[in-house]
Amino acid sequence: IMPMISSFENSQNMQIFFDLDGTLVDISQKYYRVYADITIFFGGVPMPIGTYWRMKRAHTSVSQIAAKSLLPSHVSTRFIQECIRRIELHHYTSLDTLFPYTIATLKTLALHHHELHLISARKNSKHAHAQVERLGLVPFFISLAFGDKQQAIKPLIHPHTPFMIIGDTEEEIEIAKNLGGISVAVLSGIRNKKILSLYNPTYIATDIRGVPL
């Protein structure tokens, strides 16, 4: 893991765009429960959570996960569709929990007068906003955006202010590159270090406590 650095100490304040799932919130139980329920629905046998999560973080294909779960390959498309249908249902999102360090880290960044924004690919914005509020995250952020992350970030960027995008997937890395920002890939979510390294983020950190500020 790249060590915490001090390149931005004593510099102007930054805009920091935080991804929600896997970055601020532990989603492992939700993802596993969705996977296990769908696997049972199609007549398969769910893998233990540790095995499933390692495969998920390694960006293993749905067909390979299905095969390991004793499901025929032809259910892969339906499996994906069912996953998309279920992943934002309250029954599953209620399993999300904040990482133990999330609130303390956000407080520290806010105290240093960095401008914090929250972004998420969640499609049900009303439900997502309610969950963020329930988790006590709303007071830390100047803006909350759900849906297309790049379209949400672009109009918020200040011309002469450095900005950073923090997330657990390749998507945030690519958006930072497209918009000319700093990318911090964290290993607390659905991608492991080997996968994230392929996309050449500016920094890789174990979690948001390693943000280079």
Side-chain angles (χ1 to χ4, degrees):
I1 308 303
M2 300 184 87
M4 190 166 179
I5 62 162
S6 56
S7 302
F8 301 104
E9 286 182 4
N10 303 315
S11 68
Q12 61 181 305
N13 297 330
M14 296 191 72
Q15 287 185 286
I16 307 176
F17 296 88
F18 280 95
D19 172 50
L20 175 63
D21 293 322
T23 304
L24 302 177
V25 172
D26 183 351
I27 55 171
S28 57
Q29 293 298 323
K30 173 179 67 183
Y31 268 75
Y32 180 70
R33 192 69 260 157
V34 169
Y35 151 75
D37 286 354
I38 297 172
T39 297
I40 293 167
F41 176 77
F42 284 118
V45 179
M47 295 178 281
I49 186 170
T51 306
Y52 165 75
W53 197 235
R54 280 192 297 275
M55 292 183 74
K56 181 71 178 174
R57 284 170 47 76
H59 211 358
T60 307
S61 70
V62 172
S63 59
Q64 287 177 288
I65 290 176
K68 286 283 188 180
S69 307
L70 306 182
L71 289 168
S73 58
H74 71 262
V75 307
S76 294
T77 301
R78 290 167 63 202
F79 195 102
I80 293 169
Q81 291 169 344
E82 193 64 23
C83 208
I84 292 169
R85 187 185 74 79
R86 295 189 189 211
I87 198 71
E88 292 190 34
L89 297 178
H90 178 71
H91 173 66
Y92 296 108
T93 59
S94 62
L95 298 172
D96 292 338
T97 58
L98 291 176
F99 289 113
Y101 48 79
T102 295
I103 295 296
T105 305
L106 293 176
K107 280 181 179 177
T108 298
L109 293 172
L111 282 171
H112 285 82
H113 306 293
H114 295 295
E115 184 182 300
L116 310 183
H117 301 264
L118 182 66
I119 55 172
S120 172
R122 301 268 190 106
K123 293 177 172 56
N124 188 332
S125 58
K126 185 178 178 180
H127 185 172
H129 192 285
Q131 184 184 10
V132 169
E133 198 162 8
R134 221 167 32 245
L135 292 169
L137 294 174
V138 173
F140 297 103
F141 296 101
I142 288 175
S143 70
L144 308 174
F146 305 102
D148 187 311
K149 295 178 184 178
Q150 182 160 316
Q151 290 304 311
I153 293 170
K154 196 171 182 179
L156 296 172
I157 296 170
H158 302 321
H160 304 294
T161 302
F163 70 94
M164 176 182 291
I165 302 176
I166 304 171
D168 67 318
T169 74
E170 59 277 8
E171 182 184 11
E172 293 82 31
I173 299 169
E174 292 301 316
I175 292 172
K177 286 179 183 177
N178 292 342
L179 299 179
I182 298 157
S183 60
V184 179
V186 292
L187 304 180
S188 51
I190 64 169
R191 296 287 182 266
N192 63 26
K193 186 180 180 183
K194 182 179 179 181
I195 296 299
L196 291 171
S197 296
L198 297 174
Y199 295 87
N200 299 310
T202 315
Y203 303 107
I204 297 178
T206 304
D207 54 57
I208 60 170
R209 291 172 293 183
V211 173
L213 291 168

